[in-house]
Structures are given as structure tokens and as C-alpha cells.
Amino acid sequence: NSAILKGAPVLVIDPDPARRKEAGALFSPAFSFSARFPSVPGRYAAFVVVSSAPGGLPPWVRAKALVLRPVEFTLGVGCGRGVSEARIAAAVGKALKEANVALRSVKALATIDIKKDEPGLTSFASSAGLALEFYSAAELGRAIGARRGSRAVKEATGAAGVSEPAALLSSGARRLWRKKKKYGHVTVAVARVRSR
């Protein structure tokens, strides 16, 4: 804010080209825009970093940066009955680390509607501040990717798959950011919300 008030140069770093274009139309010439960090300290008094990745910032950026986390991911989650909140939290944490996505960039967890009363899942969503979305077996069955499910999942839930189709339905995406992976009794898939 101080840099803006002084009219000092501020660089917005955002890897998303559509967002950069839209923000550039609204805020140029007050801000400059780039997809990546400058290689050396330069002429900028401050930085706005728009990133869903939890990674660190270069030292010359860190001291004068505002980091904004776009809420642009959904998680499809499948779990066994009685799985604890702690185990779901651990599985989600591992999945996000492997997908290079910050938890603050996740908007929702999605799963099958027979999990509406699953305490570990509902408690985790509540404590993480995430929306919890439910889909019927029929909806999951119609989703892209549902054909890759397993017979055991079909017998237990009525859907050929849960985590991947739930992530796709919740995000509106056509492809997964990260395919499902099983962590004990919890399966997590990651999808990025389809941009406008």
C-alpha cells in the first residue's frame, strides 16, 4: 500500500496468462505484470505474488511481497467408513504437496453423497474452512473419468469411481490436475477450477 501511495513501481507476478491479461486491462499502468520472478533485485518497490503453489519466494521478493492465493482447486475425496479427521488431513496434505498446491487455494472437497454423515470427512472440511460437495452415484457415473473405476468401489458405493469424477464435477474441469492416489484408506484427486 505504501508503494502504491508513493507511486512507486509494483510488479504483479502471476503465472496465469488469462488472469494477467484481465488484471492488466484493469490496473495498468499502475502495476507491471509478469509470469515469473525477476532474476535479480530490480526497480520494483513491492511485489504482489498470485500463486497457488506453496513454494518459497526469492529473498529480495520475500521482504516486500503480498502473496495472494487464488482459490482455484477442488479435491475429490474417497474414504473408508470411520476414517479419522487426522488421517483425512494427512492424506490431503500429502496430495497437495505432491500436486504443488497450497491448502488456501482449495475451495471445496467433493465426494459421493453416501458420505454425508462421515464424521472424519465433515470435521476435516469444517476445520479447514472448505465447502463439502456431494454427488450421487449416478452423477459420478456420468462424469468424465468414471469409467476408470474399480469393481470394489462400484460394489461398495454404486459408482465406478469417487475421487476423480467428484473432483471433475466440482471443478467443471475436463482433465484432472493430479490423478487419484490412495493414502491408506483415503483416496484424493485434484482438479483446477475451469476458468471463465
Side-chain angles (χ1 to χ4, degrees):
N1 286 337
S2 174
I4 292 167
L5 289 171
K6 291 174 184 173
V10 176
L11 178 65
V12 177
I13 302 161
D14 187 348
D16 186 282
R19 254 194 328 249
R20 274 199 322 275
K21 183 178 179 183
E22 186 176 341
L26 291 171
F27 300 112
S28 289
F31 298 92
S32 297
F33 295 85
S34 176
R36 56 186 60 88
F37 296 110
S39 56
V40 291
R43 58 188 186 96
Y44 298 102
F47 301 91
V48 176
V49 180
V50 184
S51 175
S52 58
L57 305 176
W60 62 87
V61 172
R62 190 179 309 123
K64 49 187 178 177
L66 168 66
V67 178
L68 301 177
R69 297 281 185 218
V71 182
E72 59 185 357
F73 287 90
T74 63
L75 303 179
V77 179
C79 64
R81 281 285 173 202
V83 174
S84 69
E85 176 182 354
R87 288 194 177 187
I88 292 171
V92 166
K94 287 176 185 174
L96 290 176
K97 183 176 182 180
E98 292 166 8
N100 198 31
V101 173
L103 180 59
R104 289 187 177 174
S105 287
V106 177
K107 75 171 196 139
L109 298 181
T111 191
I112 191 164
D113 59 5
I114 62 173
K115 299 294 181 180
K116 281 184 180 178
D117 62 346
E118 194 61 50
L121 192 59
T122 56
S123 295
F124 172 72
S126 177
S127 63
L130 300 173
L132 190 51
E133 300 173 0
F134 300 98
Y135 296 96
S136 69
E139 289 172 308
L140 295 172
R142 289 191 297 268
I144 298 168
R147 295 177 300 277
R148 293 190 305 252
S150 74
R151 185 178 306 177
V153 173
K154 176 83 170 169
E155 289 172 2
T157 67
V162 173
S163 58
E164 288 188 349
L168 291 169
L169 285 168
S170 177
S171 66
R174 291 189 178 99
R175 289 188 315 237
L176 293 162
W177 182 265
R178 189 171 192 286
K179 292 181 180 181
K180 70 179 179 183
K181 184 170 179 183
K182 191 164 184 163
Y183 306 89
H185 294 287
V186 183
T187 304
V188 183
V190 183
R192 187 177 181 196
V193 176
R194 189 167 60 193
S195 56
R196 292 178 256 152

